[in-house]
Amino acid sequence: QVQLMESGGGLVQPGGSLRLSCAASGSIFSINTMHWYRQPPGKERELVAAMTIGGSTNYADSVKGRFTISRDNAKNTWYLQMNNLKPEDTAVYYCNVDGFRLGIGTIPFSSWGRGTQVTVSS
């Protein structure tokens, strides 16, 4: 099994910054793609940012130029640096990783973290 643990959420004023972390543990063989999603109150979950194992990134239009996804391969940890935060960024943020885990051979997996709350308010 592969477990993900997010951290770094909290309350911040508009214009402030936060850095979210997502640490993966377990019998990981390889990672294909890492995603950050968010679910604002009363709304559906939406993709915020993604990074492939090759380093290609993709961002939602609403966060381009403000959010940056990065990784530390040695630690199996991914980050979401969020700058110039706005009230509309308020949401529960989730990390999602897909790849292959060790089993009898390699087995595809897609794991989700439990989420971390980000609240942007004055």
Side-chain angles (χ1 to χ4, degrees):
Q1 298 294 337
V2 177
Q3 296 82 36
L4 302 181
M5 178 66 70
E6 301 107 335
S7 61
L11 173 64
V12 64
Q13 292 185 344
S17 298
L18 284 174
R19 189 178 79 157
L20 305 183
S21 299
C22 175
S25 61
S27 54
I28 299 169
F29 177 75
S30 66
I31 299 292
N32 292 337
T33 310
M34 186 278 168
H35 311 86
W36 283 100
Y37 285 83
R38 69 185 180 188
Q39 186 163 16
K43 297 184 179 180
E44 295 185 353
R45 193 172 297 188
E46 60 183 7
L47 179 64
V48 175
M51 173 179 273
T52 68
I53 191 62
S56 297
T57 58
N58 186 42
Y59 297 93
D61 288 342
S62 59
V63 307
K64 282 181 181 177
R66 300 188 298 122
F67 289 12
T68 303
I69 188 171
S70 62
R71 66 186 178 189
D72 183 334
N73 287 337
K75 296 181 179 179
N76 271 343
T77 299
W78 293 264
Y79 305 96
L80 185 68
Q81 178 66 44
M82 305 185 294
N83 297 329
N84 190 22
L85 282 160
K86 304 176 181 181
E88 52 263 41
D89 295 317
T90 296
V92 178
Y93 284 72
Y94 299 88
C95 61
N96 164 248
V97 173
D98 58 68
F100 290 87
R101 63 179 177 86
L102 295 170
I104 300 176
T106 56
I107 303 169
F109 78 90
S110 181
S111 292
W112 288 84
R114 293 186 176 184
T116 184
Q117 176 70 47
V118 171
T119 302
V120 185
S121 175
S122 56

